[in-house]
Amino acid sequence: MALLRDSGIRAPFQRFSVLGLKALVLCALSVALMVIDYRQNQLQVIRAALSTAVYPLQLLVHSPISALENLSNTFASHQALLRENAQLHAAAQTDAIRLLRLASAERENDRLRALLNAAPRISERVAMADVLHVELDSLRQSVLINRGTRDQIYKGQAVLDPYGVVGQVSNVGPVSAQVILLSDSTHSIPVQISRNELRTVATGTGDPYRLTLNYLPRAADVKVDDVLLSSGLGGVFPAGYPVGRVVEVHRDPSQPLLTVSVEPYARLDREQEVLMVWFDQPAAPPPPPEAPKPTSNKHKVAPAVGSSKTAGTP
Amino acid sequence: MTRDRHVPSALIYACSLLALLLSALPLPASFAMLRPDFLLLTVIWFALTAPRAGGLAFAFAAGLLLDAFQGLLLGEHAFSFVVIAYLVHRFHLQVRMFPQAHQVLTVLALLFFYQFILFWIDGVSGHPVTRWARWLPVLTGTLFWPLLDSVLSRFMARR
């Protein structure tokens, strides 16, 4: 009997094999998991436990590559280190001078905002995180970082690198978190063109070097080399960080919408370290998990800065 | 491969762990697309040769572990692994009698079905990946199967 059961052959007068029943139960269990997981954050405990359980394995995968990097650091020549040190010193000097100017500009900005009765700028805090060399899913653009809820990382948190916006946290465990990159084909980020404050949404393509703007009408004022900044709409990403540069504008007379390609500034496929950003959100409901798109009318042109602000003054 | 083998469960765990690590090994993007589904192939092999030790519960656990690694939707891989393992388990006596080429074709069909389930779940949950690269692991997995089969069979025969 036991033999019959395990080999999946039905015993006489038995309508269902034990194997089928087992499969049914396990399938139902996994479907239940999927449904509960799909409906937001109900499975945090299980997810946290699982991600902690697999973290040592992920570190194991990461270790040979990081060891190789450490090795090359150890054997870097004295000369090369001196040269690098001198370069970094020079860069730090110029940055310090720029920062001085920035500080005075910020003070001036605060004063002007106070004059206009505008809301004070939001303050931000950043921390570094290391990207682990672990492949998560070759079809999707995401990376694993070595910080989690232990370091106050939260789901939906914005992630930057020294060049621009990288993405947002999609899953967070106690000691690690997954970051979905701008270039993932299911990710969108609200942006505006710095030249004319035209607001739109940049969507990933699955290629780490390309984003697209899918919702611009044919008449929209967009040119090659336009710089895109995060617009801060939706409350996930802080406003004003560089996202990418327009590299191609394709105007097809037969199509109502433009085809615009954008090259992201962040080096999405070569990240070593990323910056996690905390910023005080302006009083608004907590951000939804996906980067929300603005209202259906994507090509809304922002009013000129001056006019909206002066409305508040007497 | 015509009879049930006694396989110590430690060996199954070791193989699955290796497969899981292989599936997480970082590769250049063009190679990463070609990476076979190592863990699924391992699950299929054990469901075929040692259905008692490498049964459905094992497939479920392996899938859940992969979900924890990739972390899109918990239960997605667990579900598809259980379905595939059930099919293999149900027909393992027939499949074992197939000639080699026939067996490889069976694996091709299973891998295709697996990708299709994932594709479908991705679509339903609103994260569709429609690139053709999604179907590449089906082919590479099929090509990898004879190698995996001969290595594991030889390893078992020696014991």
Side-chain angles (χ1 to χ4, degrees):
Chain A
M1 183 63 202
L3 230 172
L4 283 178
R5 240 197 234 169
D6 274 357
S7 56
I9 298 169
R10 288 173 199 176
F13 311 115
Q14 193 183 345
R15 280 194 68 190
F16 299 104
S17 69
V18 174
L19 180 70
L21 198 66
K22 254 205 248 171
L24 207 66
V25 169
L26 288 175
C27 281
L29 192 60
S30 33
V31 169
L33 270 179
M34 279 189 275
V35 169
I36 299 171
D37 195 28
Y38 184 65
R39 295 177 185 246
Q40 304 297 313
N41 291 334
Q42 298 289 323
L43 289 178
Q44 263 320 313
V45 186
I46 301 180
R47 260 194 185 281
L50 277 173
S51 77
T52 316
V54 298
Y55 189 59
L57 295 180
Q58 291 170 328
L59 280 185
L60 189 65
V61 172
H62 170 69
S63 57
I65 297 143
S66 65
L68 222 64
E69 273 168 11
N70 288 341
L71 208 66
S72 71
N73 281 344
T74 314
F75 290 107
S77 76
H78 187 63
Q79 286 294 323
L81 284 180
L82 279 181
R83 211 177 314 128
E84 194 184 339
N85 197 346
Q87 276 171 5
L88 289 177
H89 258 299
Q93 293 273 344
T94 48
D95 284 351
I97 294 166
R98 277 201 202 127
L99 267 183
L100 283 178
R101 273 171 40 205
L102 183 70
S104 73
E106 262 184 358
R107 271 199 300 279
E108 188 181 347
N109 194 335
D110 283 344
R111 226 167 39 238
L112 290 174
R113 275 179 171 271
L115 281 177
L116 293 171
N117 285 333
R121 278 175 309 113
I122 45 186
S123 57
E124 291 165 9
R125 179 165 74 86
V126 296
M128 298 293 280
D130 282 339
V131 173
L132 299 185
H133 295 281
V134 177
E135 172 100 13
L136 296 173
D137 189 342
S138 62
L139 292 173
R140 298 179 194 283
Q141 308 272 321
S142 56
V143 292
L144 190 75
I145 57 169
N146 66 346
R147 282 171 190 271
T149 44
R150 207 178 45 167
D151 313 284
Q152 281 100 45
I153 304 289
Y154 59 91
K155 192 170 176 171
Q157 184 170 20
V159 182
L160 311 175
D161 79 351
Y163 307 96
V165 180
V166 169
Q168 59 176 302
V169 174
S170 59
N171 268 322
V172 53
V175 288
S176 62
Q178 275 183 33
V179 174
I180 180 169
L181 303 179
L182 292 185
S183 53
D184 188 276
S185 54
T186 57
H187 189 273
S188 296
I189 173 174
V191 294
Q192 62 184 7
I193 295 172
S194 68
R195 181 168 54 85
N196 53 13
E197 301 200 350
L198 179 70
R199 281 186 225 149
T200 182
V201 173
T203 307
T205 58
D207 172 357
Y209 301 103
R210 279 289 170 279
L211 310 176
T212 56
L213 308 179
N214 291 330
Y215 309 106
L216 285 174
R218 203 163 56 216
D221 178 17
V222 53
K223 293 185 210 149
V224 171
D225 280 343
D226 274 350
V227 172
L228 297 180
L229 305 176
S230 57
S231 70
L233 290 178
V236 172
F237 295 98
Y241 281 98
V243 172
R245 184 177 66 90
V246 174
V247 288
E248 195 194 339
V249 180
H250 182 66
R251 274 173 223 272
D252 184 347
S254 65
Q255 295 292 325
L257 297 175
L258 284 178
T259 319
V260 183
S261 295
V262 174
E263 186 187 344
Y265 283 128
R267 307 200 295 178
L268 297 178
D269 58 339
R270 284 162 288 174
E271 300 292 359
Q272 300 280 329
E273 285 170 326
V274 288
L275 286 165
M276 315 300 294
V277 187
W278 287 264
F279 62 103
D280 301 331
Q281 282 151 9
E290 293 288 319
K293 299 171 179 180
T295 46
S296 59
N297 193 6
K298 298 292 181 335
H299 52 85
K300 194 167 53 181
V301 178
V305 187
S307 64
S308 65
K309 298 282 166 58
T310 41
T313 55
Chain B
M1 210 209 270
T2 49
R3 63 193 166 81
D4 266 27
R5 286 211 179 87
H6 175 69
V7 180
S9 32
L11 185 77
I12 299 186
Y13 297 143
C15 280
S16 328
L17 205 62
L18 189 66
L20 192 67
L21 292 182
L22 277 178
S23 69
L25 203 67
L27 291 174
S30 43
F31 288 103
M33 284 195 307
L34 297 174
R35 188 201 312 260
D37 302 303
F38 291 112
L39 194 56
L40 179 69
L41 288 170
T42 315
V43 165
I44 293 179
W45 199 83
F46 282 114
L48 202 59
T49 44
R52 261 177 257 179
L56 296 183
F58 160 67
F60 181 77
L64 206 59
L65 212 56
L66 195 61
D67 280 326
F69 248 76
Q70 307 202 337
L72 193 66
L73 191 62
L74 213 59
E76 183 177 7
H77 290 95
F79 177 78
S80 36
F81 272 38
V82 169
V83 172
I84 298 298
Y86 169 74
L87 288 176
V88 176
H89 202 142
R90 180 77 183 76
F91 298 107
H92 73 281
L93 292 178
Q94 288 95 316
V95 177
R96 276 186 203 168
M97 303 311 290
F98 288 165
Q100 176 84 26
H102 202 149
Q103 219 171 63
V104 169
L105 284 181
T106 314
V107 170
L108 175 74
L110 286 172
L111 290 180
F112 180 77
F113 188 47
Y114 165 75
Q115 274 305 333
F116 182 77
I117 298 174
L118 287 185
F119 180 63
W120 179 64
I121 295 175
D122 279 351
V124 170
S125 64
H127 307 274
V129 176
T130 46
R131 287 185 300 147
W132 54 272
R134 132 153 263 152
W135 306 99
L136 275 178
V138 176
L139 292 180
T140 51
T142 311
L143 294 177
F144 184 69
W145 172 260
L147 182 71
L148 178 95
D149 187 23
S150 66
V151 167
L152 280 180
S153 298
R154 233 165 256 185
F155 185 73
M156 293 291 177
R158 196 178 300 164
R159 293 170 39 83

